[in-house]
Amino acid sequence: MKIENICCIGAGYVGGPTMSIIAQKNPHINVNVVDMNADKIKAWNSKNLKNLPVYEPGLSKVVKEARGRNLFFSTDVNKHIEQSDMIFISVNTPTKMSGKGKGYAADLKYVEACAKQIAEVSKSNKIIVEKSTVPVRTSEKIKEILMSNNIDVDFQILSNPEFLAEGTAMRDLEIPDRVLIGGDNTIEGKRAVNSLVEIYSSWVPKENILTTNLWSSELSKLTANAFLAQRISSINSLSELCEATGADIEEVSKAIGMDSRIGSSFLKTSVGFGGSCFQKDILNLVYIARSEGLDKVADYWEQILIINQHQRDRFSKKIIDVIRKKNLEPKVLLLGWAFKKDTNDTRESAAIYVANNLLNNNIKIDVYDPKVAEHQINFDLSNVTPNYEKSSVKFVEQPFLNISEYNIIALMTEWDEFKAFDWDIIYKKIKKPAYIFDGRNILDSINIKKIGFNYIGLGRK
Ligand code: NAD
Ligand code: UGA
């Protein structure tokens, strides 16, 4: 089936960038990205490309090229469902907060609502593409909802999980390691798979487009995230062992990463991984394993999250201990709030949890981040701290305006600009004794110590 009209439900961090690239590379296909959040759609349509709701290097250039030509953003969900041949479901799938599976299972209420709406509105045959990350066999549930609410049209379901990472999303979409498409092993199923393969083939080499059955595709997505997060927790757990033994985690990481069987990616120690997906996807995997009675498997994967929390807590404790032992003013400048560099996304950022630990110990914090707004920081903290008092947190637009007020700077995000700061000048102005807690090991510890700072990194002297 030749696709002429695509609708994508969900204009978030995945829907927006993914559809922008699909539209850019397929000028003959109309791509309508729809969302029930009118403010978000307004922001996607804003003339000033700096106001797009997602910050991603390279995104505004692609939006500029395709928007208004064959890429459109709209709140009219029904109209675009009806007019399309292919519908991507790219809505959020957060961890369930109540009911069966609370705290672990993925909440599929948004996915299910989309399926119901598609069934109710559709008058012609459609291919439904699961873009959201979902538990294995969700495609079956979607099929059930579609077929029980509309028997007049044919729906083919595909799984096409997204592997982009924020901050490098445009590059990841432009040159993906692989595109994964799962579908039914029937004539109609194969035809649907081919329609999606054709769309990606506009720019992705055919050998990088992998087709599988639906459930393998769904489970591969959860597995990929679990493997990536597992490497971070492994290296983070060893950073603590380095501190205890005098080994240096940067040296260990380099040494093992040069083994081609291990590889060097995702071996950077940190104050803990964040982002909207690693935690929720591992919780989901743990839930699925436990539901199948596989407790040992569930415990194995759950340990990744236990280490991640431990890393955030022990980093916080290092700061708290220094304040107490040295009798310093309980105030810290946090540099970085985003969960990684080059994104404005703060979901599950380690900074939130460290800030929360500091606030719970009556330590005041000032926060600077080049891409995160003050209201977002307040929102994040009020979510984790029930008695959150705005007055204990100050958002600063220029990080070093009040530098003489602090003894302690904590680096939370690896923004390039932090590495480029003139640390000599900062040292001259900061209150003494001066401490840098490097939650990303991005500064040259020897140089920083030479300047006069007390340097506390992770897993290194
Ligand atoms: P998001 O929260 O940024 O965006 C989801 C959007 O869906 C929101 O704007 C919301 O308003 C909209 N929405 C929800 N229900 C709707 C409905 N019924 N009708 C219309 N709009 C609706 O989420 P995201 O980060 O884009 O993630 C989406 C999915 O992709 C998740 O399953 C996630 O696990 C997965 N994923 C995310 C990333 C990432 O880097 N963020 C990468 C790969 C996969
Ligand atoms: C991750 C995966 O990398 C994507 O493939 C996947 O599509 C996505 O999750 C998803 O499903 O949402 P993302 O969370 O955007 O992407 O960013 P990552 O680069 O994976 O970083 C996640 C967290 O791990 C960040 O906090 C980052 O700072 C941290 N990290 C990463 C480390 O601490 N050390 C590393 O070596 C790498």
Side-chain angles (χ1 to χ4, degrees):
M1 178 178 180
K2 194 106 188 119
I3 303 299
E4 289 176 355
N5 289 294
I6 287 178
C7 168
C8 171
I9 310 180
Y13 282 87
V14 168
T18 312
M19 292 303 127
S20 299
I21 287 278
I22 287 188
Q24 185 202 33
K25 306 291 185 187
N26 293 279
H28 57 286
I29 301 179
N30 276 323
V31 179
N32 285 284
V33 190
V34 296
D35 203 293
M36 59 190 181
N37 182 333
D39 289 340
K40 207 175 263 191
I41 290 299
K42 195 166 160 221
W44 278 113
N45 283 322
S46 47
K47 271 208 182 105
N48 184 346
L49 292 164
K50 284 202 173 112
N51 294 335
L52 295 182
V54 169
Y55 171 71
E56 262 312 324
L59 172 65
S60 54
K61 189 172 158 270
V62 179
V63 171
K64 191 174 172 203
E65 183 186 332
R67 197 178 60 186
R69 179 189 71 187
N70 66 324
L71 173 67
F72 307 94
F73 295 92
S74 162
T75 49
D76 198 342
V77 183
N78 282 351
K79 176 175 140 196
H80 293 293
I81 288 177
E82 201 193 324
Q83 289 178 355
S84 58
D85 326 300
M86 180 176 270
I87 301 169
F88 286 78
I89 299 180
S90 191
V91 298
N92 34 331
T93 48
T95 304
K96 261 181 125 173
M97 299 308 281
S98 59
K100 190 168 173 256
K102 173 184 167 189
Y104 283 90
D107 194 340
L108 293 178
K109 67 178 174 208
Y110 303 109
V111 171
E112 288 170 3
C114 289
K116 193 143 187 279
Q117 195 167 357
I118 292 169
E120 281 166 3
V121 171
S122 295
K123 294 193 190 86
S124 58
N125 296 350
K126 300 194 191 302
I127 298 172
I128 312 301
V129 186
E130 241 177 31
K131 191 55 136 169
S132 299
T133 303
V134 291
V136 49
R137 299 183 82 124
T138 299
S139 47
E140 211 169 47
K141 207 177 254 176
I142 295 180
K143 203 179 290 178
E144 225 173 79
I145 296 175
L146 290 169
M147 284 156 91
S148 59
N149 286 284
N150 187 335
I151 45 164
D152 299 325
V153 304
D154 178 59
F155 293 108
Q156 288 301 317
I157 325 288
L158 300 179
S159 157
N160 173 222
E162 185 48 60
F163 296 101
L164 69 79
E166 290 177 28
T168 53
M170 302 316 283
R171 192 204 135 278
D172 298 341
L173 289 167
E174 182 107 38
I175 329 167
D177 287 348
R178 76 329 202 164
V179 167
L180 181 59
I181 302 174
D184 270 338
N185 198 16
T186 56
I187 293 173
E188 296 79 12
K190 284 181 189 157
R191 221 176 267 151
V193 168
N194 285 340
S195 302
L196 189 52
V197 168
E198 199 174 308
I199 290 171
Y200 279 109
S201 308
S202 303
W203 79 100
V204 180
K206 276 253 168 63
E207 60 272 21
N208 291 10
I209 304 176
L210 196 66
T211 57
T212 64
N213 83 28
L214 277 164
W215 303 339
S216 304
S217 171
E218 290 170 336
L219 187 57
S220 299
K221 172 62 197 175
L222 293 183
T223 308
N225 274 359
F227 266 62
L228 291 170
Q230 179 266 120
R231 286 172 68 98
I232 304 170
S233 278
S234 296
I235 209 76
N236 281 344
S237 72
L238 289 165
S239 70
E240 192 173 19
L241 190 57
C242 283
E243 287 161 27
T245 57
D248 183 317
I249 196 66
E250 297 299 325
E251 291 175 354
V252 173
S253 171
K254 187 168 180 195
I256 63 165
M258 284 175 76
D259 185 325
S260 60
R261 295 167 304 173
I262 296 176
S264 59
S265 305
F266 277 72
L267 287 182
K268 182 79 189 144
T269 196
S270 68
V271 57
F273 60 74
S276 62
C277 296
F278 277 175
Q279 175 170 296
K280 91 167 161 62
D281 292 347
I282 292 169
L283 286 169
N284 187 2
L285 192 67
V286 168
Y287 179 72
I288 297 168
R290 256 194 240 299
S291 311
E292 298 291 336
L294 309 176
D295 284 338
K296 288 275 189 298
V297 176
D299 292 348
Y300 173 76
W301 291 108
E302 192 157 24
Q303 198 61 31
I304 294 172
L305 299 176
I306 293 170
I307 290 290
N308 199 46
Q309 185 180 339
H310 174 62
Q311 188 78 343
R312 299 187 303 229
D313 289 347
R314 72 182 198 91
F315 183 79
S316 315
K317 189 167 177 296
K318 283 171 188 273
I319 300 176
I320 296 162
D321 285 353
V322 162
I323 291 177
R324 293 212 177 121
K325 279 190 199 137
K326 303 286 172 185
N327 210 9
L328 303 179
E329 196 193 330
K331 189 168 182 185
V332 175
L333 172 63
L334 293 187
L335 294 183
W337 194 260
F339 81 98
K340 62 185 282 200
K341 73 171 181 176
D342 291 338
T343 177
N344 60 345
D345 195 350
T346 66
R347 291 177 289 182
E348 291 300 324
S349 176
I352 303 170
Y353 294 95
V354 170
N356 185 39
N357 286 339
L358 299 181
L359 292 172
N360 286 340
N361 281 275
N362 298 316
I363 297 167
K364 289 195 166 175
I365 54 172
D366 286 3
V367 184
Y368 167 77
D369 188 290
K371 288 286 173 208
V372 179
E374 182 172 12
H375 66 84
Q376 185 63 45
I377 294 168
N378 287 323
F379 173 81
D380 292 338
L381 283 171
S382 51
N383 270 345
V384 287
T385 314
N387 313 317
Y388 168 60
E389 275 180 42
K390 254 188 179 176
S391 59
S392 40
V393 181
K394 197 162 90 200
F395 174 77
V396 290
E397 289 200 14
Q398 290 177 39
F400 302 118
L401 205 56
N402 304 316
I403 188 68
S404 61
E405 291 177 13
Y406 327 96
N407 294 99
I408 297 179
I409 296 173
L411 285 156
M412 305 307 299
T413 312
E414 72 281 24
W415 285 103
D416 289 338
E417 69 174 68
F418 299 167
K419 285 188 242 174
F421 283 152
D422 192 334
W423 290 101
D424 278 299
I425 294 187
I426 296 165
Y427 183 72
K428 285 193 187 117
K429 296 186 178 164
I430 196 171
K431 216 193 242 183
K432 313 294 179 317
Y435 287 82
I436 288 187
F437 288 81
D438 188 352
R440 297 287 183 162
N441 282 5
I442 53 171
L443 300 181
D444 176 344
S445 60
I446 297 172
N447 195 27
I448 291 288
K449 279 186 208 160
K450 253 191 229 153
I451 292 172
F453 284 102
N454 294 286
Y455 176 88
I456 293 132
L458 289 161
R460 62 177 179 176
K461 289 275 173 285

